[in-house]
Amino acid sequence: MASSILHCGAKHLDLSRPSIMGIVNVTPDSFSDGGDLYDNAQLDLNKTLHVIEKMLADGADIIDIGGESTRPGAAVVSTQQELDRVIPVLEAVVERFDALVSVDTSTAEVITESSKKGASLINDVRALGREGALAAAASSQLPICLMHMQNQPQTMQIEPTYTDVVAEVLAFLDERKYICMKAGIDSQKIILDPGFGFGKTLAHNLTLFGAIDQFVATGHPVLVGVSRKTMIGQMLGLENTDERLMGSVALALLAAQRGAAILRVHDVLETRQAIDVWKTTIKDED
Ligand code: 8Y4
């Protein structure tokens, strides 16, 4: 069984109920919601803090700040650019709010600097595969989310291929977890994520979604990120990301019911309400 408290530096996360991670993209070129925090290619820090304040009021447990877009075709960011985007927002949030901040990064320097500036968690779509990231994460002593991706963001959606998608994703995460533990990362601080949409067809995503219980059975907290993704567009025949709210909330709720510990979402209020009505119906069964 996963422990019900995740220690995140000076703070902690209660895992006895599903946690909501609100997405904050500090990139001018993000797929779904990037850019709206920008004015003339300049991040509006005040607007960003208002968005975050609302997410926290709406019931977010964690704020996930990312400075690199992983959309296929998105511009490559330098380490300095990523630091310049993420660190000021992290510092401002830590100063103003008593919130858990997760930093969505694969870059060693960003991991190290974020941990010094009060980040509570590292979220890496490359599962600490980049040069120096493993050592940086180990030194930070923060919890780390290891996500599965086939190939690289630029090429991952060209022709995703698996013999057994569930077995391969589980094996990849198990190997990355073992490498983390050898590097000195506490097993209790490892969060696993199948990586919906990262080098996967709709069929792969659906098979993985149906196997969430197998990820939960590892005993690690499981993070699920499906919010507004293409898989929902494909299921419902919706091109526009802003039409994917209901599908996103439904899938998040299903993931939580299947044991997902952390839901990474754009729409915090709606997801919180869905989770809360579900929890109310099972209160007496606890
Ligand atoms: C519309 C909306 C279309 C969003 C595409 C997207 C995950 C993640 C992302 C995830 C973890 C995204 C940083 C992709 N997804 N981190 N990050 N798990 N741990 N695309 O599933 O949201 S970014």
Side-chain angles (χ1 to χ4, degrees):
M1 258 308 276
S3 166
S4 67
I5 299 285
L6 182 67
H7 297 280
C8 308
K11 300 192 167 86
H12 65 273
L13 184 66
D14 176 8
L15 292 173
S16 66
R17 61 184 183 93
S19 295
I20 294 179
M21 172 185 272
I23 302 170
V24 178
N25 286 316
V26 290
T27 58
D29 58 358
S30 228
F31 194 145
S32 169
D33 53 351
D36 55 341
L37 300 173
Y38 279 77
D39 214 22
N40 292 321
Q42 186 65 41
L43 181 78
D44 185 334
L45 184 60
N46 258 324
K47 198 190 274 183
T48 305
L49 291 171
H50 272 107
V51 167
I52 291 170
E53 185 174 32
K54 181 172 189 311
M55 281 184 171
L56 292 169
D58 286 348
D61 302 287
I62 309 165
I63 300 297
D64 190 44
I65 301 175
E68 180 213 8
S69 173
T70 47
R71 176 180 63 151
V76 177
V77 289
S78 69
T79 297
Q80 193 56 53
Q81 246 175 331
E82 212 191 323
L83 286 166
D84 290 346
R85 286 176 182 179
V86 169
I87 302 300
V89 180
L90 168 66
E91 288 187 292
V93 173
V94 168
E95 186 187 296
R96 283 170 183 74
F97 310 114
D98 182 32
L100 294 181
V101 179
S102 152
V103 176
D104 157 20
T105 187
S106 302
T107 311
E109 291 86 344
V110 179
I111 295 173
T112 300
E113 198 56 24
S114 297
S115 74
K116 287 185 192 158
K117 297 290 157 67
S120 291
L121 202 147
I122 303 300
N123 174 28
D124 185 3
V125 298
R126 294 178 184 81
L128 303 179
R130 268 200 190 156
E131 184 88 50
L134 184 65
S139 302
S140 79
Q141 298 194 35
L142 293 176
I144 164 82
C145 179
L146 302 174
M147 197 198 79
H148 173 272
M149 166 162 51
Q150 187 178 77
N151 295 318
Q152 291 301 305
Q154 315 304 329
T155 54
M156 64 187 180
Q157 288 309 112
I158 293 172
E159 202 178 321
T161 309
Y162 301 85
T163 305
D164 180 337
V165 66
V166 174
E168 289 170 43
V169 173
L170 279 168
F172 169 84
L173 293 176
D174 193 59
E175 177 174 3
R176 294 309 301 169
K177 166 185 147 183
Y178 183 69
I179 289 168
C180 283
M181 289 165 65
K182 273 201 302 189
I185 295 173
D186 181 355
S187 159
Q188 301 248 54
K189 292 192 168 167
I190 297 175
I191 299 161
L192 301 181
D193 183 343
F196 289 98
F198 285 84
K200 282 124 189 152
T201 63
L202 174 60
H204 296 140
N205 287 316
L206 291 174
T207 302
L208 284 169
F209 200 87
I212 286 175
D213 61 331
Q214 292 186 55
F215 291 85
V216 172
T218 62
H220 291 271
V222 172
L223 191 151
V224 166
V226 289
S227 185
R228 299 188 193 170
K229 282 184 181 173
T230 303
M231 62 186 285
I232 293 169
Q234 291 167 327
M235 289 179 200
L236 299 176
L238 298 172
E239 286 290 330
N240 300 334
T241 54
D242 61 7
E243 297 176 316
R244 298 176 187 167
L245 169 63
M246 320 301 162
S248 297
V249 171
L251 274 192
L253 179 60
L254 284 165
Q257 291 184 326
R258 293 165 189 200
I262 304 174
L263 309 166
R264 183 178 179 277
V265 306
H266 297 85
D267 305 289
V268 171
L269 179 70
E270 293 83 353
T271 310
R272 177 93 272 158
Q273 289 184 347
I275 298 292
D276 285 351
V277 291
W278 167 48
K279 283 292 165 189
T280 306
T281 68
I282 59 169
K283 256 217 178 100
D284 295 336
E285 296 169 30
D286 285 347

